[in-house]
Amino acid sequence: MSSRMKPDFSPEERAAVYRVIRERRDVRSDFISEEIPDAVLGRILTAAHHAPSVGLMQPWDFILIRNFSIRKQIHAHAQSMKDRGDIYEGDRKALYCSLKLEGILEAPLNICITCDRSRTTGYGLGRQSDSMTDLYSAACAIQNLWLAARAESIGIGWVSILDWDRVKQLLNIPRERHIVAYLCAGFVSAFRRKPELETAGWEVRTKISNLLHFDQWENQDRQRADAILGTHDE
Ligand SMILES: Cc1cc2nc3c(=O)[nH]c(=O)nc-3n(C[C@H](O)[C@H](O)[C@H](O)COP(=O)(O)O)c2cc1C
């Protein structure tokens, strides 16, 4: 049996990885207008492109949207989608209406990430058994981008209150492409400590110990979970 390799991240490097994960936020209220330099943008896009993908399919494309009149049209569409708000009632509806759910105009850059579900790169490896894996791969790329952006002090906001057919129309995206995410990106005045939705009283973070199972679904041992998670489960 081979022996375990020597750790190749220093304690400081490890701490930085966990810090970037913990301090990443979805940003919509705190963007400033300063442009993202190309060198920085290049780094975060490359981080996205280094994501894992099923069969090394790399099903993604990135559309960089700076044009203000296009962003104004996307913003007007997002506003009309939000104004529907008709899925909620009473206090929840009032709270929903008070939420800011996008920063399309405030962020200097928007990024639309698509998934090409028929791309032949990777020869279909891993997709025969689960056809969703191309979409999961694209989501991995987005998370890589999000974390790299945080390390560069760039905020990202994911906007999903959009009708993708309308977005495809506005961005001339071929009908057969699947939009996975529409992101707002830019430097921020500050990163908030907590998710905006938590501060607004919309939802709270669930304890991981409630979500752990041992060997089989029915085994949810809180003591064992607490022993693993210690003080991290906050
Ligand atoms: C797939 C996905 C779609 C999302 N769509 C929206 C959205 O339309 N508007 C919004 O304000 N936030 C959106 N978010 C951000 C979440 O609200 C946010 O991640 C969550 O509240 C936790 O906050 P945090 O990212 O700051 O930790 C989305 C996040 C994901 C992963």
Side-chain angles (χ1 to χ4, degrees):
M1 203 171 77
S2 45
S3 58
R4 177 176 157 187
M5 68 174 269
K6 274 203 185 130
D8 56 354
F9 281 83
S10 68
E12 293 75 21
E13 287 170 330
R14 277 203 302 274
V17 172
Y18 288 115
R19 182 176 164 221
V20 90
I21 290 169
R22 185 171 278 259
E23 296 186 16
R24 180 211 53 78
R25 286 276 77 80
D26 185 89
V27 176
R28 45 261 196 190
S29 309
D30 308 303
F31 288 113
I32 61 165
S33 58
E34 186 181 334
E35 287 291 338
I36 302 174
D38 280 351
V40 180
L41 185 56
R43 288 198 290 271
I44 67 175
L45 289 169
T46 306
H49 189 56
H50 282 208
S53 65
V54 63
L56 198 51
M57 183 188 183
Q58 307 153 77
W60 42 70
D61 279 83
F62 306 90
I63 305 166
L64 306 178
I65 308 140
R66 288 199 175 92
N67 182 294
F68 194 66
S69 79
I70 295 176
R71 285 194 285 133
K72 260 169 73 175
Q73 292 179 75
I74 304 261
H75 177 259
H77 168 61
Q79 204 54 49
S80 73
M81 294 290 285
K82 190 193 173 211
D83 288 347
R84 293 185 193 171
D86 47 13
I87 33 174
Y88 303 110
E89 289 178 357
D91 289 351
R92 184 64 44 180
K93 181 167 183 166
L95 184 53
Y96 173 80
C97 291
S98 74
L99 297 173
K100 179 161 171 55
L101 297 177
E102 49 74 30
I104 295 167
L105 296 180
E106 297 90 333
L109 175 69
N110 293 182
I111 308 175
C112 184
I113 293 109
T114 59
C115 178
D116 180 357
R117 307 211 63 192
S118 57
R119 193 165 287 178
T120 52
T121 331
Y123 300 94
L125 179 71
R127 290 187 64 219
Q128 292 91 350
S129 48
D130 185 346
S131 64
M132 297 285 283
T133 46
D134 53 350
L135 297 169
Y136 303 154
S137 304
C140 290
I142 294 158
Q143 179 70 346
N144 268 15
L145 183 153
W146 209 338
L147 293 173
R150 178 62 188 90
E152 302 278 4
S153 302
I154 288 169
I156 299 287
W158 188 322
V159 188
S160 56
I161 48 162
L162 297 167
D163 174 338
W164 296 135
D165 285 337
R166 178 71 183 132
V167 177
K168 281 184 196 175
Q169 239 176 22
L170 290 170
L171 301 180
N172 291 339
I173 296 172
R175 278 172 59 84
E176 65 279 8
R177 292 291 158 97
H178 190 106
I179 297 181
V180 181
Y182 190 92
L183 306 178
C184 304
F187 290 106
V188 298
S189 50
F191 282 97
R192 298 180 185 222
R193 273 194 53 249
K194 285 182 172 184
E196 280 190 43
L197 290 184
E198 210 175 317
T199 309
W202 183 264
E203 190 51 279
V204 293
R205 188 179 302 285
T206 309
K207 280 185 167 296
I208 328 173
S209 46
N210 292 331
L211 310 173
L212 272 191
H213 305 248
F214 294 90
D215 295 320
Q216 289 186 310
W217 185 261
E218 65 275 21
N219 300 326
Q220 279 205 285
D221 181 336
R222 281 299 296 266
Q223 265 187 339
R224 277 174 78 190
D226 286 342
I228 291 170
L229 294 160
T231 55
H232 299 293
D233 199 8
E234 54 189 38

